[in-house]
């Protein structure tokens, strides 16, 4: 497939066109604009190309797309929708992403007609994208062997997979929601009014000041997010549902890669932040203690960052994370 990078999509490949590709499928956090991650995914592609000897000369297809309701679209050409693309909860997003993955793999299968070999997928999830990725892994394993591809591993970055409401930011959001139950609607309307009144140049200046002079790609993505038809409302609606939904551990040992009942076992990596405002320290420590791999046992590899990388790594630390994730992928395929 030809590379394609748009505000709503990222698709590129490594290695010669004739190579069979392992698909790296990226799931973004909230707000779900893939354009925040364009530099990270581009650098990941470069890191994988430079480390081919460590990835057993495997070539990759790297794909990501914006979550449902976050797409940046010209309203004059916007297709009609029963939901107008907003107010999608976490379950809706899981189904949306699962549909994108299925469509991508079906398209790949059509391009590889005559090749009798199951395709391989590696999931990468950031923040709530890690929760979505784990749910997709669970549902995929329950559906196998009917599917025509295998999910062989995953890299979960700053993952909000349990008790998100207990985190510092989760507690603040929960309090706000108790005071203003219709927070998503109120803030969404305010954002629409603000972007309507402010000229583009002034809006960029205000956003740049509030974000403390972010890189251009993050400034562009944020302004597009604020000006989109329902992005702000969608982000807060989804965040409210995350507070209700992401609670206790919902996955079996098989999903965590800690059981050998059925092949292939998904080789998982979890990269946690230190003092992550969306993951309580106690929650992180409990996950590492209960689910982390023990010596000689199966299970996910869990790392707690000691380099001070922030939860929103895609703003200023894409280069560091791209190298780290390339190393994880090398271990998955190696």
């Amino acid at each position: 497939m030809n590379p394609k990078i748009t505000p709503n999509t990222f698709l590129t490949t490594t290695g010669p066109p004739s190579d069979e590709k392992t698909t790296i499928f990226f799931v973004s956090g909230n707000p779900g604009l893939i354009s925040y991650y364009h530099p990270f995914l581009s650098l990941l592609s470069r890191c994988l190309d430079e480390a081919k000897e460590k990835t057993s000369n495997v070539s990759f297809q790297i794909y990501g797309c914006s979550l449902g309701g976050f797409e940046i679209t010209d309203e004059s050409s916007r297709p009609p929708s029963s939901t107008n693309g907003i107010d999608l909860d976490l379950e809706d997003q899981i189904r949306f992403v699962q549909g994108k993955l299925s469509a991508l793999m079906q398209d790949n299968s059509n391009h590889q007609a005559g090749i009798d070999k199951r395709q391989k997928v590696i999931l990468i999830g950031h923040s709530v994208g890690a929760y979505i990725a784990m749910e997709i892994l669970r549902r995929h394993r329950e559906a196998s062997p009917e599917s025509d591809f295998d999910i062989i591993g995953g890299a979960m970055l700053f993952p909000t997979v349990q008790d998100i409401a207990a985190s510092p930011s989760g507690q603040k959001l929960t309090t706000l929601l108790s005071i203003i139950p219709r927070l998503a609607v109120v803030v969404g309307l305010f954002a629409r009014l603000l972007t309507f009144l402010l000229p583009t140049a002034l809006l960029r200046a205000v956003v740049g000041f509030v974000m403390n002079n972010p890189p251009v790609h993050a400034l562009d993505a944020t302004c597009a997010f604020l000006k989109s038809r329902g992005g702000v409302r969608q982000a807060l609606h989804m965040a409210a549902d995350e507070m209700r939904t992401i609670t206790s551990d919902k996955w079996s040992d098989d999903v965590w890669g800690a059981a050998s009942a059925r092949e292939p076992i998904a080789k998982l990596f979890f990269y946690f932040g230190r003092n992550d405002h969306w993951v309580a320290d106690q929650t992180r420590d409990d996950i590492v203690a209960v689910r982390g791999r023990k010596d000689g046992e199966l299970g996910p590899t869990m790392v707690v960052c000691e380099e001070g990388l922030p939860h929103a790594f895609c703003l200023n630390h894409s280069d560091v994370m791209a190298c780290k994730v390339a190393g994880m992928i090398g271990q998955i395929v190696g």
Side-chain angles (χ1 to χ4, degrees):
M1 296 175 66
N2 294 324
K4 180 180 181 182
I5 300 177
T6 73
N8 299 317
T9 308
F10 183 98
L11 175 64
T12 192
T13 59
T14 70
S18 58
D19 281 5
E20 292 182 24
K21 309 292 184 183
T22 293
T23 296
I24 297 173
F25 188 89
F26 181 81
V27 188
S28 73
N30 183 6
L33 280 77
I34 197 64
S35 49
Y36 278 119
Y37 301 93
H38 282 172
F40 165 70
L41 295 172
S42 295
L43 289 165
L44 175 60
S45 173
R46 183 188 304 172
C47 289
L48 290 170
D49 253 340
E50 292 173 352
K52 284 206 73 173
E53 67 279 2
K54 297 180 182 179
T55 57
S56 304
N57 291 319
V58 176
S59 294
F60 298 94
Q61 170 184 244
I62 303 174
Y63 176 86
C65 66
S66 295
L67 297 180
F70 292 97
E71 301 92 344
I72 304 303
T73 309
D74 178 3
E75 293 198 20
S76 64
S77 61
R78 190 183 185 94
S81 169
S82 59
T83 64
N84 291 320
I86 58 176
D87 292 351
L88 304 179
D89 60 22
L90 194 50
E91 175 61 25
D92 295 326
Q93 296 291 0
I94 293 166
R95 293 177 180 175
F96 176 86
V97 174
Q98 192 171 26
K100 290 287 187 178
L101 174 59
S102 297
L104 176 68
M105 301 314 292
Q106 182 60 52
D107 196 21
N108 289 347
S109 181
N110 292 339
H111 282 83
Q112 298 175 9
I115 299 177
D116 186 19
K117 191 172 182 180
R118 288 177 69 84
Q119 301 179 78
K120 296 179 180 179
V121 174
I122 297 171
L123 301 174
I124 302 178
H126 173 227
S127 190
V128 70
Y131 180 92
I132 294 173
M134 289 291 286
E135 265 298 290
I136 288 175
L137 175 58
R138 177 183 71 81
R139 298 175 191 200
H140 177 80
R141 292 187 72 82
E142 290 176 355
S144 293
E146 285 77 9
S147 62
D148 58 358
F149 62 91
D150 293 321
I151 297 177
I152 63 171
M156 311 304 168
L157 313 178
F158 302 89
T160 57
V161 292
Q162 286 183 36
D163 297 324
I164 189 173
S167 67
S169 290
Q171 292 180 43
K172 293 175 183 176
L173 179 57
T174 301
T175 300
L176 270 176
L177 288 167
S178 67
I179 298 171
I180 312 173
R182 300 285 289 171
L183 181 67
V185 176
V186 172
V187 177
L189 288 173
F190 176 76
R192 293 283 285 171
L193 178 62
L194 185 67
T195 55
F196 177 77
L197 293 176
L198 292 182
T200 299
L202 183 55
L203 176 65
R204 290 179 67 85
V206 170
V207 172
F209 176 78
V210 172
M211 294 183 68
N212 193 24
N213 193 29
V216 173
H217 85 278
L219 179 60
D220 290 344
T222 303
C223 289
F225 167 61
L226 293 173
K227 294 172 70 175
S228 64
R229 185 174 184 180
V232 173
R233 174 172 164 176
Q234 173 58 58
L236 287 169
H237 177 83
M238 180 177 167
D241 193 53
E242 292 170 37
M243 300 303 111
R244 295 185 293 266
T245 304
I246 303 177
T247 53
S248 58
D249 183 356
K250 300 178 180 178
W251 303 297
S252 67
D253 287 353
D254 182 60
V255 176
W256 283 99
S260 56
R262 182 162 53 83
E263 296 287 345
I265 299 169
K267 190 179 294 184
L268 301 179
F269 289 80
F270 282 73
Y271 192 90
F272 290 99
R274 180 73 68 181
N275 301 318
D276 188 336
H277 60 100
W278 281 112
V279 181
D281 288 350
Q282 186 62 55
T283 300
R284 177 201 64 215
D285 293 343
D286 289 346
I287 295 172
V288 173
V290 174
R291 288 299 190 179
R293 178 192 295 179
K294 314 300 189 296
D295 290 341
E297 297 180 4
L298 295 171
T301 299
M302 297 192 175
V303 176
V304 179
C305 176
E306 299 296 348
E307 301 170 42
L309 298 182
H311 185 89
F313 73 86
C314 56
L315 299 185
N316 291 296
H317 299 84
S318 291
D319 52 347
V320 178
M321 285 309 303
C323 291
K324 290 181 181 295
V325 173
M328 298 174 197
I329 291 171
Q331 293 184 60
I332 291 171
V333 301

